[in-house]
Short mmCIF file of all heavy atoms in Angstrom, two decimals:
data_model
loop_
_atom_site.label_atom_id
_atom_site.label_comp_id
_atom_site.label_asym_id
_atom_site.label_seq_id
_atom_site.Cartn_x
_atom_site.Cartn_y
_atom_site.Cartn_z
N THR A 17 24.27 -13.83 -57.35
CA THR A 17 24.99 -13.01 -58.20
C THR A 17 24.22 -11.70 -58.41
O THR A 17 23.03 -11.74 -58.62
CB THR A 17 25.25 -13.71 -59.60
OG1 THR A 17 25.89 -14.94 -59.35
CG2 THR A 17 26.06 -12.90 -60.53
N HIS A 18 24.96 -10.67 -58.42
CA HIS A 18 24.28 -9.36 -58.65
C HIS A 18 25.00 -8.59 -59.71
O HIS A 18 26.29 -8.52 -59.72
CB HIS A 18 24.27 -8.53 -57.40
CG HIS A 18 23.90 -7.23 -57.52
ND1 HIS A 18 22.50 -6.85 -57.80
CD2 HIS A 18 24.43 -5.97 -57.54
CE1 HIS A 18 22.34 -5.54 -57.84
NE2 HIS A 18 23.54 -4.98 -57.73
N THR A 19 24.48 -7.95 -60.76
CA THR A 19 25.07 -7.11 -61.72
C THR A 19 24.51 -5.71 -61.67
O THR A 19 23.31 -5.47 -61.55
CB THR A 19 24.78 -7.76 -63.07
OG1 THR A 19 25.37 -9.06 -63.19
CG2 THR A 19 25.57 -6.99 -64.14
N GLU A 20 25.47 -4.76 -61.76
CA GLU A 20 25.05 -3.34 -61.79
C GLU A 20 25.98 -2.62 -62.71
O GLU A 20 27.05 -3.24 -63.07
CB GLU A 20 25.06 -2.72 -60.38
CG GLU A 20 26.30 -2.71 -59.59
CD GLU A 20 26.32 -2.22 -58.26
OE1 GLU A 20 25.50 -2.79 -57.49
OE2 GLU A 20 26.80 -1.16 -57.95
N VAL A 21 25.73 -1.41 -63.04
CA VAL A 21 26.57 -0.63 -63.99
C VAL A 21 27.50 0.27 -63.13
O VAL A 21 26.97 0.96 -62.23
CB VAL A 21 25.67 0.11 -64.92
CG1 VAL A 21 26.55 1.02 -65.78
CG2 VAL A 21 24.80 -0.77 -65.77
N SER A 22 28.72 0.24 -63.52
CA SER A 22 29.67 1.08 -62.74
C SER A 22 29.41 2.53 -63.10
O SER A 22 29.20 2.90 -64.22
CB SER A 22 31.15 0.74 -63.26
OG SER A 22 32.05 1.74 -62.80
N GLU A 23 29.37 3.42 -62.13
CA GLU A 23 29.06 4.86 -62.34
C GLU A 23 30.37 5.51 -62.93
O GLU A 23 30.20 6.48 -63.61
CB GLU A 23 28.79 5.49 -60.96
CG GLU A 23 27.52 5.06 -60.39
CD GLU A 23 27.24 5.70 -59.08
OE1 GLU A 23 28.02 6.62 -58.66
OE2 GLU A 23 26.25 5.25 -58.38
N VAL A 24 31.53 4.96 -62.82
CA VAL A 24 32.70 5.57 -63.23
C VAL A 24 32.88 5.08 -64.84
O VAL A 24 33.21 5.91 -65.57
CB VAL A 24 34.01 4.98 -62.51
CG1 VAL A 24 35.32 5.48 -63.11
CG2 VAL A 24 33.82 5.45 -61.07
N THR A 25 32.81 3.80 -65.10
CA THR A 25 33.14 3.33 -66.50
C THR A 25 31.85 3.11 -67.31
O THR A 25 32.00 2.97 -68.59
CB THR A 25 34.05 2.05 -66.49
OG1 THR A 25 33.19 1.07 -65.84
CG2 THR A 25 35.24 2.30 -65.57
N GLY A 26 30.75 2.87 -66.72
CA GLY A 26 29.51 2.57 -67.44
C GLY A 26 29.54 1.00 -67.83
O GLY A 26 28.55 0.61 -68.42
N ALA A 27 30.51 0.24 -67.42
CA ALA A 27 30.63 -1.20 -67.70
C ALA A 27 29.82 -1.93 -66.66
O ALA A 27 29.79 -1.54 -65.50
CB ALA A 27 32.08 -1.60 -67.67
N PRO A 28 29.27 -3.06 -67.02
CA PRO A 28 28.60 -3.98 -66.04
C PRO A 28 29.64 -4.54 -65.06
O PRO A 28 30.78 -5.02 -65.44
CB PRO A 28 27.92 -4.95 -66.83
CG PRO A 28 28.58 -4.99 -68.19
CD PRO A 28 29.18 -3.64 -68.34
N VAL A 29 29.26 -4.61 -63.90
CA VAL A 29 30.07 -5.21 -62.77
C VAL A 29 29.29 -6.27 -62.11
O VAL A 29 28.11 -6.05 -61.64
CB VAL A 29 30.52 -4.16 -61.71
CG1 VAL A 29 31.26 -4.82 -60.62
CG2 VAL A 29 31.31 -3.02 -62.36
N THR A 30 29.72 -7.49 -62.01
CA THR A 30 29.02 -8.58 -61.44
C THR A 30 29.81 -9.11 -60.20
O THR A 30 31.03 -9.24 -60.15
CB THR A 30 29.03 -9.85 -62.43
OG1 THR A 30 28.24 -9.36 -63.64
CG2 THR A 30 28.21 -11.01 -61.87
N THR A 31 29.00 -9.34 -59.08
CA THR A 31 29.61 -9.79 -57.86
C THR A 31 28.80 -11.14 -57.40
O THR A 31 27.66 -11.33 -57.77
CB THR A 31 29.46 -8.86 -56.63
OG1 THR A 31 28.15 -8.60 -56.41
CG2 THR A 31 30.16 -7.43 -57.10
N ASP A 32 29.43 -11.83 -56.62
CA ASP A 32 28.75 -13.05 -56.09
C ASP A 32 28.40 -12.79 -54.62
O ASP A 32 28.27 -13.84 -53.82
CB ASP A 32 29.78 -14.27 -55.99
CG ASP A 32 30.00 -14.81 -57.46
OD1 ASP A 32 29.12 -14.76 -58.33
OD2 ASP A 32 31.04 -15.34 -57.84
N GLN A 33 28.32 -11.54 -54.22
CA GLN A 33 28.03 -11.13 -52.81
C GLN A 33 26.61 -11.55 -52.59
O GLN A 33 25.66 -11.25 -53.43
CB GLN A 33 28.09 -9.67 -52.62
CG GLN A 33 27.74 -9.25 -51.30
CD GLN A 33 27.90 -7.75 -51.17
OE1 GLN A 33 28.23 -7.05 -52.09
NE2 GLN A 33 27.64 -7.19 -49.98
N PRO A 34 26.25 -12.22 -51.43
CA PRO A 34 24.86 -12.48 -51.18
C PRO A 34 23.97 -11.30 -51.00
O PRO A 34 24.52 -10.25 -50.49
CB PRO A 34 24.91 -13.32 -49.87
CG PRO A 34 26.37 -13.43 -49.44
CD PRO A 34 27.14 -12.61 -50.46
N ASN A 35 22.85 -11.37 -51.47
CA ASN A 35 21.96 -10.20 -51.27
C ASN A 35 20.45 -10.73 -51.22
O ASN A 35 20.22 -11.81 -51.51
CB ASN A 35 22.04 -9.27 -52.49
CG ASN A 35 21.77 -9.77 -53.79
OD1 ASN A 35 20.57 -10.14 -54.11
ND2 ASN A 35 22.70 -10.13 -54.54
N LEU A 36 19.69 -9.83 -50.61
CA LEU A 36 18.31 -10.27 -50.28
C LEU A 36 17.44 -9.07 -50.70
O LEU A 36 17.65 -7.92 -50.32
CB LEU A 36 18.18 -10.42 -48.72
CG LEU A 36 16.86 -10.78 -48.13
CD1 LEU A 36 16.34 -12.21 -48.69
CD2 LEU A 36 16.96 -10.76 -46.64
N ASP A 37 16.41 -9.40 -51.50
CA ASP A 37 15.36 -8.31 -52.01
C ASP A 37 14.19 -8.44 -50.86
O ASP A 37 13.65 -9.54 -50.71
CB ASP A 37 14.92 -8.64 -53.36
CG ASP A 37 15.99 -8.41 -54.31
OD1 ASP A 37 16.73 -7.44 -54.25
OD2 ASP A 37 16.16 -9.30 -55.18
N VAL A 38 13.80 -7.33 -50.44
CA VAL A 38 12.69 -7.20 -49.44
C VAL A 38 11.73 -6.04 -49.81
O VAL A 38 12.24 -5.08 -50.51
CB VAL A 38 13.09 -7.10 -48.06
CG1 VAL A 38 13.84 -8.30 -47.57
CG2 VAL A 38 13.98 -5.84 -47.73
N ARG A 39 10.47 -6.18 -49.47
CA ARG A 39 9.61 -4.97 -49.56
C ARG A 39 9.82 -3.98 -48.45
O ARG A 39 10.09 -4.47 -47.31
CB ARG A 39 8.08 -5.44 -49.66
CG ARG A 39 7.80 -6.23 -50.81
CD ARG A 39 6.23 -6.61 -50.80
NE ARG A 39 5.93 -7.61 -51.87
CZ ARG A 39 5.44 -8.76 -51.57
NH1 ARG A 39 5.11 -9.12 -50.36
NH2 ARG A 39 5.21 -9.58 -52.66
N ARG A 40 9.78 -2.75 -48.71
CA ARG A 40 9.93 -1.79 -47.63
C ARG A 40 8.98 -2.04 -46.50
O ARG A 40 9.23 -1.75 -45.44
CB ARG A 40 9.83 -0.39 -48.28
CG ARG A 40 11.02 0.06 -49.13
CD ARG A 40 10.92 1.44 -49.55
NE ARG A 40 11.65 1.78 -50.67
CZ ARG A 40 11.70 2.84 -51.35
NH1 ARG A 40 10.89 3.77 -51.02
NH2 ARG A 40 12.37 2.90 -52.44
N THR A 41 7.67 -2.49 -46.92
CA THR A 41 6.75 -2.64 -45.86
C THR A 41 7.06 -3.81 -44.96
O THR A 41 6.43 -3.96 -43.88
CB THR A 41 5.38 -2.91 -46.43
OG1 THR A 41 5.41 -4.02 -47.38
CG2 THR A 41 4.83 -1.80 -47.28
N GLU A 42 8.09 -4.70 -45.33
CA GLU A 42 8.42 -5.86 -44.44
C GLU A 42 9.41 -5.34 -43.33
O GLU A 42 9.71 -6.15 -42.47
CB GLU A 42 9.04 -6.91 -45.29
CG GLU A 42 8.05 -7.60 -46.29
CD GLU A 42 8.71 -8.66 -47.19
OE1 GLU A 42 9.94 -8.82 -47.20
OE2 GLU A 42 8.00 -9.16 -47.90
N ILE A 43 9.87 -4.15 -43.35
CA ILE A 43 10.75 -3.55 -42.36
C ILE A 43 9.86 -2.61 -41.62
O ILE A 43 9.47 -1.55 -42.09
CB ILE A 43 11.99 -2.98 -43.05
CG1 ILE A 43 12.77 -4.03 -43.82
CG2 ILE A 43 12.88 -2.30 -41.95
CD1 ILE A 43 13.97 -3.52 -44.50
N PRO A 44 9.75 -3.02 -40.34
CA PRO A 44 8.78 -2.14 -39.50
C PRO A 44 9.11 -0.68 -39.52
O PRO A 44 8.17 0.08 -39.67
CB PRO A 44 9.05 -2.66 -38.04
CG PRO A 44 9.61 -4.05 -38.22
CD PRO A 44 10.34 -3.92 -39.54
N ASP A 45 10.28 -0.33 -39.35
CA ASP A 45 10.52 1.15 -39.34
C ASP A 45 11.87 1.35 -40.17
O ASP A 45 12.84 1.18 -39.56
CB ASP A 45 10.62 1.83 -38.00
CG ASP A 45 10.86 3.31 -38.12
OD1 ASP A 45 10.94 3.81 -39.22
OD2 ASP A 45 10.68 4.02 -37.04
N GLU A 46 11.88 1.67 -41.46
CA GLU A 46 13.12 1.70 -42.21
C GLU A 46 14.05 2.65 -41.59
O GLU A 46 15.27 2.45 -41.79
CB GLU A 46 12.65 2.17 -43.71
CG GLU A 46 13.86 2.00 -44.67
CD GLU A 46 13.31 2.45 -46.08
OE1 GLU A 46 12.23 2.24 -46.32
OE2 GLU A 46 14.30 2.90 -46.78
N SER A 47 13.73 3.62 -40.90
CA SER A 47 14.61 4.68 -40.27
C SER A 47 15.51 4.00 -39.19
O SER A 47 16.48 4.52 -38.89
CB SER A 47 13.88 5.84 -39.79
OG SER A 47 13.02 5.48 -38.74
N ASP A 48 14.97 2.76 -38.69
CA ASP A 48 15.73 2.15 -37.61
C ASP A 48 16.72 1.28 -38.24
O ASP A 48 17.58 0.73 -37.57
CB ASP A 48 14.75 1.34 -36.80
CG ASP A 48 13.99 2.27 -35.68
OD1 ASP A 48 14.32 3.44 -35.54
OD2 ASP A 48 12.91 1.77 -35.28
N ARG A 49 16.63 0.92 -39.49
CA ARG A 49 17.58 0.00 -40.14
C ARG A 49 18.95 0.68 -40.39
O ARG A 49 18.90 1.79 -40.83
CB ARG A 49 16.96 -0.58 -41.42
CG ARG A 49 17.65 -1.81 -41.92
CD ARG A 49 18.41 -1.63 -43.13
NE ARG A 49 18.61 -0.50 -43.76
CZ ARG A 49 19.84 0.21 -43.71
NH1 ARG A 49 20.95 -0.27 -43.12
NH2 ARG A 49 19.98 1.40 -44.38
N ARG A 50 19.97 -0.02 -39.99
CA ARG A 50 21.31 0.56 -40.16
C ARG A 50 22.26 -0.51 -40.75
O ARG A 50 21.98 -1.63 -40.57
CB ARG A 50 21.92 1.13 -38.76
CG ARG A 50 21.16 2.25 -38.28
CD ARG A 50 21.78 2.74 -36.97
NE ARG A 50 21.17 3.89 -36.44
CZ ARG A 50 19.83 4.11 -36.18
NH1 ARG A 50 18.99 3.25 -36.51
NH2 ARG A 50 19.42 5.19 -35.64
N ASP A 51 23.26 0.00 -41.52
CA ASP A 51 24.32 -0.93 -41.93
C ASP A 51 24.94 -1.58 -40.68
O ASP A 51 25.06 -0.96 -39.74
CB ASP A 51 25.37 -0.19 -42.80
CG ASP A 51 24.77 0.42 -44.00
OD1 ASP A 51 23.78 -0.07 -44.57
OD2 ASP A 51 25.46 1.24 -44.59
N GLY A 52 25.10 -2.88 -40.80
CA GLY A 52 25.71 -3.65 -39.65
C GLY A 52 24.61 -4.35 -38.93
O GLY A 52 24.90 -5.33 -38.13
N ASP A 53 23.26 -4.12 -39.13
CA ASP A 53 22.24 -4.93 -38.67
C ASP A 53 22.45 -6.33 -39.12
O ASP A 53 23.10 -6.62 -40.14
CB ASP A 53 20.87 -4.40 -38.99
CG ASP A 53 20.46 -3.20 -38.25
OD1 ASP A 53 21.13 -2.81 -37.26
OD2 ASP A 53 19.34 -2.57 -38.53
N ARG A 54 21.76 -7.22 -38.45
CA ARG A 54 21.85 -8.63 -38.87
C ARG A 54 20.63 -9.30 -39.32
O ARG A 54 19.56 -8.97 -38.83
CB ARG A 54 22.54 -9.45 -37.76
CG ARG A 54 24.02 -9.07 -37.53
CD ARG A 54 24.62 -9.71 -36.30
NE ARG A 54 25.97 -9.49 -36.16
CZ ARG A 54 26.49 -8.33 -35.63
NH1 ARG A 54 25.59 -7.36 -35.16
NH2 ARG A 54 27.69 -8.14 -35.55
N VAL A 55 20.70 -10.29 -40.24
CA VAL A 55 19.54 -11.09 -40.63
C VAL A 55 19.90 -12.48 -40.65
O VAL A 55 21.04 -12.84 -40.79
CB VAL A 55 18.99 -10.60 -42.12
CG1 VAL A 55 18.48 -9.29 -42.03
CG2 VAL A 55 20.04 -10.86 -43.08
N HIS A 56 18.91 -13.37 -40.42
CA HIS A 56 19.09 -14.96 -40.44
C HIS A 56 18.41 -15.42 -41.71
O HIS A 56 17.21 -15.12 -41.95
CB HIS A 56 18.45 -15.44 -39.19
CG HIS A 56 19.23 -15.12 -38.04
ND1 HIS A 56 20.16 -15.93 -37.43
CD2 HIS A 56 19.19 -13.97 -37.32
CE1 HIS A 56 20.70 -15.38 -36.29
NE2 HIS A 56 20.13 -14.15 -36.29
N VAL A 57 19.16 -16.15 -42.53
CA VAL A 57 18.57 -16.70 -43.79
C VAL A 57 19.07 -18.18 -43.82
O VAL A 57 20.16 -18.52 -43.76
CB VAL A 57 19.09 -16.02 -45.00
CG1 VAL A 57 18.45 -16.60 -46.26
CG2 VAL A 57 18.80 -14.44 -45.00
N SER A 58 18.06 -19.11 -43.86
CA SER A 58 18.35 -20.51 -44.02
C SER A 58 19.31 -20.96 -42.97
O SER A 58 20.17 -21.72 -43.23
CB SER A 58 18.81 -20.87 -45.43
OG SER A 58 17.81 -20.49 -46.32
N GLY A 59 19.07 -20.43 -41.59
CA GLY A 59 20.05 -20.90 -40.57
C GLY A 59 21.33 -20.31 -40.59
O GLY A 59 22.15 -20.65 -39.77
N ARG A 60 21.68 -19.38 -41.46
CA ARG A 60 23.00 -18.63 -41.53
C ARG A 60 22.71 -17.14 -41.15
O ARG A 60 21.63 -16.68 -41.44
CB ARG A 60 23.55 -18.78 -42.96
CG ARG A 60 23.87 -20.19 -43.29
CD ARG A 60 24.32 -20.28 -44.79
NE ARG A 60 25.38 -19.55 -45.17
CZ ARG A 60 25.81 -19.29 -46.39
NH1 ARG A 60 25.08 -19.93 -47.34
NH2 ARG A 60 26.82 -18.56 -46.67
N ARG A 61 23.76 -16.64 -40.50
CA ARG A 61 23.55 -15.23 -40.00
C ARG A 61 24.47 -14.30 -40.90
O ARG A 61 25.59 -14.64 -41.22
CB ARG A 61 23.99 -15.21 -38.60
CG ARG A 61 23.79 -13.90 -37.91
CD ARG A 61 24.09 -13.99 -36.43
NE ARG A 61 24.63 -12.86 -35.79
CZ ARG A 61 24.64 -12.56 -34.61
NH1 ARG A 61 24.14 -13.39 -33.79
NH2 ARG A 61 25.19 -11.47 -34.16
N PHE A 62 23.78 -13.24 -41.33
CA PHE A 62 24.47 -12.27 -42.15
C PHE A 62 24.40 -10.90 -41.50
O PHE A 62 23.42 -10.48 -40.96
CB PHE A 62 23.80 -12.28 -43.49
CG PHE A 62 24.05 -13.57 -44.29
CD1 PHE A 62 23.07 -14.55 -44.29
CD2 PHE A 62 25.07 -13.75 -45.33
CE1 PHE A 62 23.18 -15.78 -44.86
CE2 PHE A 62 25.20 -14.95 -45.80
CZ PHE A 62 24.27 -15.92 -45.74
N ARG A 63 25.46 -10.06 -41.85
CA ARG A 63 25.44 -8.67 -41.54
C ARG A 63 25.06 -8.00 -42.84
O ARG A 63 25.45 -8.28 -43.94
CB ARG A 63 26.84 -8.27 -41.07
CG ARG A 63 26.94 -6.88 -40.54
CD ARG A 63 28.29 -6.58 -39.94
NE ARG A 63 28.79 -7.88 -39.58
CZ ARG A 63 30.00 -7.95 -38.73
NH1 ARG A 63 30.59 -6.97 -38.43
NH2 ARG A 63 30.36 -9.10 -38.28
N ILE A 64 24.25 -6.84 -42.61
CA ILE A 64 23.83 -6.05 -43.73
C ILE A 64 25.00 -5.04 -43.95
O ILE A 64 25.40 -4.31 -43.16
CB ILE A 64 22.59 -5.23 -43.45
CG1 ILE A 64 21.44 -6.18 -43.20
CG2 ILE A 64 22.24 -4.13 -44.67
CD1 ILE A 64 20.11 -5.45 -42.80
N ARG A 65 25.55 -5.14 -45.23
CA ARG A 65 26.78 -4.37 -45.48
C ARG A 65 26.37 -2.97 -46.18
O ARG A 65 26.82 -1.95 -46.00
CB ARG A 65 27.69 -5.01 -46.42
CG ARG A 65 28.93 -4.33 -46.82
CD ARG A 65 29.85 -5.04 -47.74
NE ARG A 65 29.25 -5.17 -49.07
CZ ARG A 65 29.26 -4.29 -49.98
NH1 ARG A 65 29.76 -3.17 -49.72
NH2 ARG A 65 28.73 -4.57 -51.17
N LYS A 66 25.24 -2.97 -47.07
CA LYS A 66 24.74 -1.93 -47.69
C LYS A 66 23.28 -2.14 -48.14
O LYS A 66 22.86 -3.28 -48.48
CB LYS A 66 25.66 -1.73 -49.05
CG LYS A 66 25.20 -0.53 -49.94
CD LYS A 66 26.31 -0.40 -50.99
CE LYS A 66 25.88 -1.12 -52.26
NZ LYS A 66 26.74 -0.76 -53.42
N VAL A 67 22.57 -1.10 -48.17
CA VAL A 67 21.13 -1.21 -48.61
C VAL A 67 20.81 -0.23 -49.80
O VAL A 67 21.33 0.99 -49.72
CB VAL A 67 20.15 -0.68 -47.45
CG1 VAL A 67 18.73 -0.79 -47.99
CG2 VAL A 67 20.31 -1.70 -46.20
N GLU A 68 20.17 -0.66 -50.80
CA GLU A 68 19.84 0.25 -51.93
C GLU A 68 18.42 0.05 -52.13
O GLU A 68 17.78 -1.06 -52.07
CB GLU A 68 20.58 -0.17 -53.27
CG GLU A 68 22.08 0.13 -53.16
CD GLU A 68 22.76 -0.30 -54.49
OE1 GLU A 68 22.07 -0.76 -55.39
OE2 GLU A 68 23.95 -0.04 -54.57
N LYS A 69 17.75 1.22 -52.46
CA LYS A 69 16.32 1.23 -52.87
C LYS A 69 16.21 0.76 -54.34
O LYS A 69 17.11 1.04 -55.10
CB LYS A 69 15.74 2.59 -52.72
CG LYS A 69 15.58 3.06 -51.33
CD LYS A 69 15.03 4.43 -51.15
CE LYS A 69 14.85 4.82 -49.68
NZ LYS A 69 14.34 6.11 -49.52
N ASP A 70 15.30 -0.05 -54.70
CA ASP A 70 15.18 -0.55 -56.05
C ASP A 70 14.42 0.42 -57.00
O ASP A 70 14.25 0.14 -58.22
CB ASP A 70 14.50 -1.90 -56.06
CG ASP A 70 13.04 -1.93 -55.77
OD1 ASP A 70 12.49 -0.82 -55.47
OD2 ASP A 70 12.55 -3.02 -55.72
N GLY A 71 14.10 1.60 -56.59
CA GLY A 71 13.33 2.62 -57.50
C GLY A 71 11.81 2.37 -57.40
O GLY A 71 11.13 3.15 -58.02
N GLU A 72 11.35 1.30 -56.77
CA GLU A 72 9.94 1.05 -56.73
C GLU A 72 9.64 0.91 -55.19
O GLU A 72 9.82 1.87 -54.45
CB GLU A 72 9.49 -0.18 -57.50
CG GLU A 72 9.76 0.10 -59.01
CD GLU A 72 9.38 -1.09 -59.81
OE1 GLU A 72 8.75 -2.04 -59.23
OE2 GLU A 72 9.81 -1.01 -60.94
N LEU A 73 9.16 -0.28 -54.79
CA LEU A 73 8.62 -0.45 -53.41
C LEU A 73 9.59 -1.42 -52.63
O LEU A 73 9.15 -1.89 -51.47
CB LEU A 73 7.22 -0.95 -53.39
CG LEU A 73 6.25 0.00 -53.92
CD1 LEU A 73 4.92 -0.60 -53.98
CD2 LEU A 73 6.20 1.22 -53.15
N GLY A 74 10.78 -1.58 -53.14
CA GLY A 74 11.71 -2.62 -52.51
C GLY A 74 12.88 -2.14 -52.13
O GLY A 74 13.30 -0.99 -52.44
N LEU A 75 13.75 -3.00 -51.35
CA LEU A 75 15.11 -2.68 -50.93
C LEU A 75 15.96 -3.88 -51.26
O LEU A 75 15.42 -5.00 -51.33
CB LEU A 75 15.14 -2.52 -49.37
CG LEU A 75 14.36 -1.32 -48.83
CD1 LEU A 75 14.35 -1.38 -47.34
CD2 LEU A 75 14.99 -0.03 -49.28
N LYS A 76 17.13 -3.74 -51.64
CA LYS A 76 18.08 -4.74 -51.82
C LYS A 76 19.20 -4.67 -50.81
O LYS A 76 19.78 -3.61 -50.62
CB LYS A 76 18.75 -4.56 -53.26
CG LYS A 76 19.80 -5.82 -53.48
CD LYS A 76 20.40 -5.79 -54.88
CE LYS A 76 19.41 -6.28 -55.92
NZ LYS A 76 19.05 -7.61 -55.84
N LEU A 77 19.25 -5.67 -49.93
CA LEU A 77 20.19 -5.80 -48.83
C LEU A 77 21.45 -6.59 -49.27
O LEU A 77 21.30 -7.71 -49.73
CB LEU A 77 19.58 -6.34 -47.64
CG LEU A 77 18.13 -5.93 -47.10
CD1 LEU A 77 17.64 -6.75 -45.93
CD2 LEU A 77 18.23 -4.44 -46.84
N PHE A 78 22.52 -5.88 -49.28
CA PHE A 78 23.71 -6.57 -49.64
C PHE A 78 24.40 -7.11 -48.36
O PHE A 78 24.49 -6.42 -47.34
CB PHE A 78 24.75 -5.59 -50.33
CG PHE A 78 24.33 -5.19 -51.62
CD1 PHE A 78 23.45 -4.08 -51.91
CD2 PHE A 78 24.55 -5.97 -52.82
CE1 PHE A 78 22.97 -3.66 -53.03
CE2 PHE A 78 24.21 -5.57 -54.12
CZ PHE A 78 23.34 -4.41 -54.13
N LEU A 79 24.71 -8.34 -48.38
CA LEU A 79 25.14 -9.03 -47.04
C LEU A 79 26.49 -9.65 -47.14
O LEU A 79 27.00 -9.74 -48.12
CB LEU A 79 24.06 -10.30 -46.95
CG LEU A 79 22.61 -9.99 -46.98
CD1 LEU A 79 21.86 -11.29 -47.02
CD2 LEU A 79 22.14 -9.11 -45.94
N GLU A 80 26.94 -9.81 -45.92
CA GLU A 80 28.18 -10.56 -45.82
C GLU A 80 28.09 -11.53 -44.52
O GLU A 80 27.34 -11.13 -43.64
CB GLU A 80 29.40 -9.59 -45.40
CG GLU A 80 29.32 -8.77 -44.24
CD GLU A 80 30.42 -7.81 -44.12
OE1 GLU A 80 31.27 -7.60 -45.03
OE2 GLU A 80 30.45 -7.04 -43.10
N GLU A 81 28.59 -12.74 -44.70
CA GLU A 81 28.35 -13.61 -43.62
C GLU A 81 28.97 -13.13 -42.30
O GLU A 81 30.03 -12.55 -42.30
CB GLU A 81 28.98 -15.03 -43.98
CG GLU A 81 28.56 -16.12 -43.09
CD GLU A 81 28.26 -17.39 -43.88
OE1 GLU A 81 28.67 -17.57 -44.93
OE2 GLU A 81 27.59 -18.29 -43.19
N ASP A 82 28.24 -13.32 -41.25
CA ASP A 82 28.49 -12.77 -39.98
C ASP A 82 29.42 -13.93 -39.23
O ASP A 82 28.88 -15.01 -38.93
CB ASP A 82 27.39 -12.50 -39.11
CG ASP A 82 27.67 -11.68 -37.87
OD1 ASP A 82 28.83 -11.68 -37.49
OD2 ASP A 82 26.74 -11.12 -37.31
N PRO A 83 30.62 -13.60 -38.81
CA PRO A 83 31.48 -14.73 -38.34
C PRO A 83 31.10 -14.88 -36.81
O PRO A 83 31.47 -16.00 -36.25
CB PRO A 83 32.85 -14.10 -38.41
CG PRO A 83 32.66 -12.58 -38.46
CD PRO A 83 31.39 -12.34 -39.14
N ILE A 84 30.23 -13.99 -36.16
CA ILE A 84 29.98 -14.13 -34.70
C ILE A 84 28.80 -15.15 -34.78
O ILE A 84 27.71 -14.90 -35.39
CB ILE A 84 29.53 -12.82 -34.17
CG1 ILE A 84 30.71 -11.86 -34.20
CG2 ILE A 84 29.11 -13.00 -32.82
CD1 ILE A 84 30.33 -10.38 -33.85
N PRO A 85 28.87 -16.27 -34.02
CA PRO A 85 27.79 -17.28 -33.95
C PRO A 85 26.58 -16.68 -33.20
O PRO A 85 26.58 -15.83 -32.53
CB PRO A 85 28.41 -18.41 -33.14
CG PRO A 85 29.70 -17.95 -32.60
CD PRO A 85 30.02 -16.54 -33.24
#
């Protein structure tokens, strides 16, 4: 579950979209990372839908399950 504030209304918005927090240093070359890249988590494959910097040294990867085996 992820909660953020709507830029339009200022109201909190909560989603059940899977997400993964990583340190920027864990990604070899951040400039090579693109939306649509894939990650494997606990034997499941996900596509990166969106990436946001957390304002410090991390990234939040918003994921969607990848239907391609």
Side-chain angles (χ1 to χ4, degrees):
T17 302
H18 173 72
T19 302
E20 61 185 63
V21 176
S22 168
E23 293 177 7
V24 176
T25 65
V29 178
T30 303
T31 65
D32 287 331
Q33 178 181 2
N35 58 75
L36 178 65
D37 294 313
V38 297
R39 292 185 189 120
R40 289 186 201 171
T41 57
E42 293 175 357
I43 298 177
D45 185 355
E46 190 178 333
S47 63
D48 285 343
R49 199 251 2 112
R50 293 180 177 52
D51 294 343
D53 283 353
R54 291 173 175 84
V55 295
H56 293 259
V57 180
S58 300
R60 294 169 58 192
R61 186 168 146 159
F62 295 89
R63 187 176 329 191
I64 299 171
R65 187 181 65 79
K66 181 172 92 171
V67 177
E68 290 183 358
K69 293 181 180 179
D70 70 0
E72 295 182 15
L73 298 175
L75 298 170
K76 183 174 285 290
L77 309 179
F78 292 89
L79 309 173
E80 60 187 6
E81 192 139 18
D82 192 348
I84 300 171

